[in-house]
Amino acid sequence: MEEQAESPGLATGTRAAAAVSNVAAKLLGRDSTTATATTTGSTRAHVSTVDRTLWRWANVENMDDFFQRVYIYYQGKGLYAILLSRMLNLVILAFVIVFSTFLIGCVDYAAIPTHHALSEVMLPHCYARLSPSTVLFLLMFIIWWAWQLIRFIRDIPALHEMYNFYNYLLKIPDSDIQTVSWQQVIAQIMAIRESNPNTSRTSPLHLDAHAIASRIMRKENYLIALFNKDILDITIPLPWLRGKYMFTRDLEWNLSFCVLSYVFDHRGQLRKRFLRAKNRELLIMGLRRRFIFMALLNLIFAPFILVYLLVYFFFGYFEAFRTNPSEIGSRGYSPFAKWKFREFNELPHEFRARVSASVPIANQYLDQFPKEKTALVARFVAFITGSIAAVLLLLTLYDSEALVNFDITPGKTVFFYMSLFGGAFEVSRRMIPDEHLVFQPEVLLRQVVDHTHYFPAQWRGQLHTDGVRAQFCVLFDYKVSLFLQELAAVVLTPIVLGVSLPQCADQIVDFFRAFSIHVDGVGHVCSFAQFDFARHGNVQYGAPVKVDNDYYLSKGGKMEKSFLNFKANHPEWEPTDMTGSMYLSKMNAFQHAKQSSPHQMVPDGDDMAESMSSTPRRRLSMQQKDRMSSPPLTSSFSTPLQDTGANDMDDDDEKHHGSPEFAFQRSHFVPTIAPSSLEFSEPPPSRTMLNQYGVPEGRIPSNLGDSFARARPTLGQVDEEDDDTANASPRVPGVIGLLNQVYDLNNNPAV
């Protein structure tokens, strides 16, 4: 947000502030006469905080930047929490720099065994005796720290403006932002939209939950699509590592800088030259140069990055590992897995909540696999180390001074060996499986898929195998292994940037031209994130429109699942596109048909996607009948769902292995789709003519409200139905019940 200049435009700005104050006074419950008197004829110094905040809100120039700062403030949990967090981070960074320099250049480690005081082993005037390489490292880190401090100071006014926006306009104080939901923040923004001429209902700018998410995640949506389409070549071009991919946080930052900073301008908008085919060769050459330049830059700064990672890991994790040695064996999702799992328009806090719920189940899944040899060795080590640690503990109880004064071996006291054997005992005990463990890896992995929404085609029918376990371990790896990968990336990142990624520069440039679409009031966005079913709909995942070119389809039904996931997170949101409304309406018809005739034989979904005519039929198993006859749930569901990434398989695979499937689950409701086993039949009563979308002519069946059928408003056109739609209670349970009932029929063969 930027203010207009006070001179000569002060009078104009004051009049604008007064006009906006009059409009917003009613929304805020204030007297418009008082608001006018407060602002008219005053200078900026005499404008109240509320009116100044209203004026800033009415004069937002960069909506992308504004909503990103609104979201960052929400994630940071308020002004004081953000300031405290950033200030403490600066203090920690300064401590690491000073303390590391002290340890490296100010201590004579050779003199420690013969001396007993720190002052006796410290080197005098140590900072003046630092080597040139150490001075260079220190200077680089000091410059970095100073830059972070300057950014912190510069961001304070903007944070205070955002504090006023939340406190005075949204009526959300810092005491409440700790627990308020993002949906409530959006609802408050929609409530004051009329006070901003750029966001009012008569404005060409579109404002709803989807538009806000599209602005916040404009760049991230493209990255999600790049990973989903497997366009980025991040394999390691070395003979003994060929075919192995590497994606770390270091490479993630470099990729974001090379691609996103090249494609988007300083305002966050897509550069127009990427939309013109005539610029293709020039853009490809420019992108390749950026990759090679960053490869050289990473190679130059590799020593600094390596030292920083080592120091950060040592100070950050040593205490955690010392107090709880079993943390060495803890696991986490890799950066590559997170980009594979993330869905379009899914904000970071929503993604964390979804994926974090799968971590305990993922650990249980990996514990399922037999590790008899490992368990035997672990029991042996635990018995030996536990016995020795127990004897040493009894010794300290007998003589408390023996802990530090009694040497078991020369120079090694009881305390040293208690720590050594105690740590080994804790680690080995963690490696022993629970003797009461029930072996059910398929059930647990399906529960993991319910949260991650990731189910590659090659996992199909192999969930119990060690091969699938090994592939899952690549995504859900040990944290120590992830850190070692970060260290290895210091050397491998320049190779990937300089060799692998330039080879796919042409595909990246073509991708941005092919998958960008202009949305009135929002700008150019990724067409997958716009949920454009007419352009990217996959009939195998229930889309109402068939797209013949597989290049324009998302892999694994990513777009369809993202659409349902977004609807689950924002139940009040209504798609303005007719095909999106058709998708939900189609699912509603499917649910009602199943509820009315749970024993009915259903047609095959692939044929149904092409024609609503009758197809070969098969009967449901008793387990499916019981599941479909259960009443719809409205909060959470336990019905698992499978995603095999069906569109990755060719036609022959589908003929031999059956139709694809996928799993999908959320906290609000579970959008559950069996892509090739969907029953999209209309309720039985009377036969009517169907239009091109497979629904009765002249109407669009939807239990979510008639507003789903309306066309997108054109520029300058007032959407008069918004007030009625906002006040009407959406029939979300219809969607909830529907998406829970549609289940994969192939998973349970007919009996």
Side-chain angles (χ1 to χ4, degrees):
M1 289 188 299
E2 297 182 2
E3 298 181 5
Q4 296 179 355
E6 286 193 77
S7 178
L10 177 61
T12 303
T14 305
R15 286 194 297 270
V20 170
S21 299
N22 292 335
V23 174
K26 299 178 181 179
L27 296 172
L28 301 175
R30 303 173 59 215
D31 186 7
S32 60
T33 305
T34 305
T36 305
T38 303
T39 57
T40 303
S42 64
T43 63
R44 189 173 72 171
H46 295 87
V47 175
S48 67
T49 303
V50 177
D51 291 336
R52 183 190 301 275
T53 305
L54 283 168
W55 186 86
R56 292 183 184 277
W57 162 241
N59 289 272
V60 175
E61 293 186 357
N62 189 339
M63 298 297 291
D64 281 27
D65 177 70
F66 173 76
F67 283 119
Q68 286 170 3
R69 291 199 288 124
V70 168
Y71 182 70
I72 291 173
Y73 189 89
Y74 168 79
Q75 275 199 304
K77 302 303 180 185
L79 173 65
Y80 300 107
I82 295 175
L83 292 177
L84 180 62
S85 174
R86 296 186 61 175
M87 183 177 64
L88 291 178
N89 285 336
L90 286 172
V91 174
I92 290 174
L93 185 59
F95 169 79
V96 170
I97 294 173
V98 174
F99 191 48
S100 301
T101 306
F102 171 79
L103 293 177
I104 293 173
C106 296
V107 178
D108 184 7
Y109 293 96
I112 291 179
T114 59
H115 296 79
H116 300 86
L118 178 62
S119 58
E120 298 175 355
V121 298
M122 286 185 60
L123 299 174
H125 308 289
C126 56
Y127 286 99
R129 299 181 178 181
L130 295 175
S131 63
S133 60
T134 305
V135 172
L136 182 60
F137 275 92
L138 183 61
L139 182 63
M140 292 294 298
F141 285 121
I142 290 176
I143 293 175
W144 183 27
W145 186 87
W147 170 244
Q148 296 298 324
L149 177 63
I150 293 173
R151 287 185 57 191
F152 171 68
I153 296 174
R154 290 179 58 186
D155 288 346
I156 291 178
L159 287 172
H160 191 265
E161 293 174 9
M162 195 54 57
Y163 168 82
N164 292 335
F165 178 75
Y166 269 84
N167 197 53
Y168 295 111
L169 297 191
L170 301 187
K171 302 298 183 182
I172 302 176
D174 272 14
S175 57
D176 293 340
I177 202 174
Q178 306 287 333
T179 54
V180 72
S181 67
W182 175 246
Q183 287 75 15
Q184 290 176 287
V185 174
I186 293 179
Q188 292 297 99
I189 293 176
M190 299 299 291
I192 65 168
R193 62 182 296 184
E194 290 299 330
S195 62
N196 187 341
N198 293 327
T199 61
S200 63
R201 290 180 174 85
T202 58
S203 169
L205 290 180
H206 190 55
L207 185 65
D208 61 5
H210 184 220
I212 293 174
S214 296
R215 289 182 179 278
I216 296 174
M217 289 189 57
R218 191 189 299 271
K219 298 178 181 179
E220 287 80 359
N221 282 329
Y222 280 101
L223 269 183
I224 294 171
L226 285 170
F227 277 95
N228 176 253
K229 299 288 291 181
D230 295 326
I231 291 176
L232 300 174
D233 184 3
I234 54 176
T235 56
I236 304 174
L238 296 177
W240 60 91
L241 293 175
R242 193 171 301 277
K244 301 287 185 181
Y245 67 84
M246 185 206 67
F247 191 77
T248 60
R249 286 180 292 181
D250 183 24
L251 184 57
E252 179 182 350
W253 183 88
N254 281 278
L255 186 64
S256 176
F257 176 81
C258 291
V259 177
L260 299 184
S261 299
Y262 185 48
V263 175
F264 294 91
D265 59 21
H266 68 283
R267 295 176 58 86
Q269 296 293 326
L270 186 73
R271 300 182 193 271
K272 299 297 186 296
R273 58 175 174 264
F274 279 87
L275 303 175
R276 302 184 182 97
K278 65 179 182 180
N279 299 326
R280 181 177 184 271
E281 295 300 327
L282 185 64
L283 295 173
I284 292 173
M285 293 175 58
L287 183 57
R288 286 174 177 166
R289 285 196 298 266
R290 290 176 72 92
F291 282 137
I292 296 174
F293 173 77
M294 288 304 297
L296 296 175
L297 203 61
N298 275 266
L299 193 61
I300 294 173
F301 287 95
F304 301 96
I305 299 173
L306 183 63
V307 170
Y308 171 77
L309 289 175
L310 288 172
V311 173
Y312 174 80
F313 179 80
F314 178 79
F315 289 120
Y317 293 96
F318 174 78
E319 178 61 21
F321 290 156
R322 189 190 69 82
T323 56
N324 188 9
S326 62
E327 283 295 318
I328 297 177
S330 61
R331 291 177 177 267
Y333 288 110
S334 66
F336 178 79
K338 292 177 180 178
W339 282 108
K340 274 291 188 179
F341 296 167
R342 198 169 177 185
E343 294 176 342
F344 301 114
N345 292 324
E346 186 176 28
L347 296 173
H349 75 281
E350 298 169 344
F351 174 71
R352 281 196 305 270
R354 175 168 66 89
V355 174
S356 297
S358 70
V359 172
I361 310 173
N363 284 311
Q364 295 177 29
Y365 162 73
L366 294 177
D367 290 338
Q368 290 281 299
F369 289 87
K371 299 178 290 186
E372 283 303 319
K373 300 185 185 108
T374 305
L376 289 172
V377 174
R379 288 191 181 95
F380 170 76
V381 174
F383 178 80
I384 299 298
T385 57
S387 301
I388 297 176
V391 172
L392 295 178
L393 178 61
L394 292 176
L395 178 61
T396 58
L397 294 177
Y398 175 76
D399 184 4
S400 59
E401 295 183 357
L403 182 65
V404 293
N405 295 327
F406 185 79
D407 290 348
I408 296 179
T409 58
K412 306 299 181 183
T413 64
V414 173
F415 176 77
F416 172 80
Y417 281 102
M418 281 190 63
S419 301
L420 178 64
F421 289 113
F425 171 76
E426 188 67 27
V427 172
S428 59
R429 190 184 64 170
R430 183 180 176 86
M431 298 172 66
I432 301 174
D434 184 5
E435 60 182 9
H436 303 294
L437 187 66
V438 179
F439 185 74
Q440 48 180 5
E442 295 188 13
V443 175
L444 290 174
L445 186 54
R446 292 187 190 282
Q447 293 178 13
V448 172
V449 171
D450 287 345
H451 298 287
T452 62
H453 306 168
Y454 180 76
F455 201 161
Q458 59 268 27
W459 290 9
R460 182 173 188 161
Q462 304 293 324
L463 301 185
H464 62 284
T465 62
D466 190 70
V468 172
R469 181 203 62 81
Q471 294 180 36
F472 183 76
C473 285
V474 175
L475 303 173
F476 189 64
D477 207 349
Y478 290 109
K479 292 182 179 179
V480 173
S481 176
L482 293 176
F483 173 73
L484 294 177
Q485 292 176 35
E486 293 286 347
L487 294 181
V490 176
V491 178
L492 297 177
T493 293
I495 300 176
V496 175
L497 285 171
V499 180
S500 298
L501 284 171
Q503 297 178 2
C504 63
D506 54 341
Q507 299 179 49
I508 296 174
V509 172
D510 292 339
F511 168 83
F512 279 95
R513 185 176 65 256
F515 293 95
S516 295
I517 185 174
H518 184 270
V519 179
D520 294 339
V522 178
H524 284 91
V525 297
C526 179
S527 51
F528 285 128
Q530 190 59 23
F531 305 136
D532 191 349
F533 286 92
R535 190 177 183 186
H536 306 299
N538 191 338
V539 294
Q540 292 181 333
Y541 292 86
V545 181
K546 183 178 180 180
V547 178
D548 295 327
N549 192 343
D550 290 345
Y551 177 72
Y552 292 100
L553 302 180
S554 61
K555 291 189 175 182
K558 172 75 77 174
M559 189 193 74
E560 287 77 12
K561 289 186 285 187
S562 299
F563 175 80
L564 296 172
N565 188 36
F566 188 83
K567 178 63 178 175
N569 288 323
H570 304 274
E572 297 82 9
W573 172 73
E574 297 179 352
T576 56
D577 182 70
M578 184 175 65
T579 55
S581 303
M582 281 296 309
Y583 185 57
L584 294 177
S585 301
K586 199 173 187 181
M587 295 296 171
N588 257 328
F590 177 46
Q591 179 196 27
H592 294 319
K594 286 207 180 250
Q595 287 182 341
S596 60
S597 302
H599 301 284
Q600 176 186 359
M601 294 185 299
V602 299
D604 192 348
D606 288 335
D607 296 332
M608 181 63 71
E610 297 179 4
S611 172
M612 299 295 286
S613 60
S614 60
T615 58
R617 302 190 174 190
R618 52 189 173 178
R619 291 192 176 274
L620 302 178
S621 65
M622 294 303 296
Q623 182 181 359
Q624 291 167 320
K625 294 176 183 178
D626 294 338
R627 179 168 50 252
M628 292 179 179
S629 60
S630 60
L633 304 179
T634 57
S635 57
S636 62
F637 300 86
S638 59
T639 303
L641 192 81
Q642 299 115 18
D643 177 3
T644 59
N647 49 341
D648 294 339
M649 303 170 60
D650 55 27
D651 295 337
D652 294 337
D653 290 337
E654 291 186 10
K655 292 178 182 178
H656 292 289
H657 297 91
S659 301
E661 58 198 42
F662 70 85
F664 195 93
Q665 182 165 345
R666 288 299 300 140
S667 56
H668 297 283
F669 63 84
V670 184
T672 309
I673 303 176
S676 62
S677 304
L678 299 180
E679 179 193 1
F680 298 137
S681 57
E682 293 291 335
S686 59
R687 183 179 293 272
T688 57
M689 297 298 295
L690 305 181
N691 62 15
Q692 59 177 331
Y693 296 104
V695 297
E697 191 69 37
R699 71 177 182 90
I700 298 178
S702 173
N703 290 330
L704 302 175
D706 293 335
S707 58
F708 278 161
R710 71 175 186 269
R712 185 188 300 275
T714 58
L715 292 177
Q717 182 180 6
V718 181
D719 189 356
E720 299 177 354
E721 296 180 359
D722 279 352
D723 291 335
D724 297 335
T725 304
N727 296 329
S729 57
R731 298 185 61 183
V732 178
V735 182
I736 296 175
L738 149 75
L739 296 173
N740 184 51
Q741 297 296 331
V742 186
Y743 190 75
D744 176 39
L745 303 182
N746 297 320
N747 196 38
N748 296 284
V751 294

